[in-house]
Amino acid sequence: VVEFSSSLDIRPNFACYLSVISTTIKTFRGIEDDAAKRTDLGLIAHTTIAPATDVFAQAALTKAEVTLDDGATSSTDSDYGSMFGVGVRHKGRNGLELELGGSNTEVFDTSTFSYHLAARLYFKEVFSAGFGYISSDNANSFLISARMDF
């Protein structure tokens, strides 16, 4: 799983964001090659509950694309839906941010709940890189991400 996301503060406790997550799944002996891509455009509301600790809620419009390839034929499908999530994050003095959250995505007439645990290291005020773990109703993945906040 690879993610690119960007956010823009629009008020002190609100931000808009764009996130693109891409996954490729190779099956037995590399014969099948399935890919999924999810793009979210949404809003995040956050508030401080303790020094350097925020809780947040987010809502997004989602576009999902799935490509299935069995080596002989390939098919692609896409759908629009929604995503709602909540979480908590804490940023330490050393620039390391830890985050725990859960979300529910409605797309392809299916509801999928997932949770994630992530760590993000800020190299500069606006640039960070992270890694994490995502578990959902039907898949578990590791996450590598880069983020630039404007």
Side-chain angles (χ1 to χ4, degrees), residues 3 5-7 13-21 38-47 55-62 82-89 99-105 114 116 147:
E3 175 185 16
S5 64
S6 181
S7 65
N13 289 12
F14 292 93
C16 60
Y17 76 97
L18 172 67
S19 172
V20 179
I21 300 173
R38 182 174 126 186
T39 304
D40 294 338
L41 178 62
L43 294 173
I44 301 174
H46 57 90
T47 189
V55 293
F56 61 89
Q58 61 193 74
L61 297 174
T62 297
S82 61
M83 188 280 300
F84 299 97
V86 294
V88 62
R89 63 181 168 230
E99 181 176 307
L100 175 65
S103 64
N104 192 67
T105 302
S114 64
H116 70 273
R147 185 169 80 188

Side-chain angles (χ1 to χ4, degrees), residues 62-134:
T62 297
K63 180 181 181 186
E65 300 171 80
V66 178
T67 302
L68 304 173
D69 187 349
D70 65 5
T73 61
S74 179
S75 63
T76 302
D77 195 9
S78 65
D79 192 23
Y80 291 90
S82 61
M83 188 280 300
F84 299 97
V86 294
V88 62
R89 63 181 168 230
H90 177 79
K91 187 175 178 184
R93 290 187 181 149
N94 59 359
L96 181 65
E97 180 180 86
L98 301 175
E99 181 176 307
L100 175 65
S103 64
N104 192 67
T105 302
E106 297 273 343
V107 70
F108 292 115
D109 297 323
T110 302
S111 178
T112 303
F113 177 77
S114 64
Y115 71 89
H116 70 273
L117 176 62
R120 175 171 305 286
L121 182 60
Y122 282 83
F123 299 104
K124 299 280 185 179
E125 183 78 16
V126 298
F127 181 73
S128 62
F131 64 93
Y133 177 75
I134 300 171

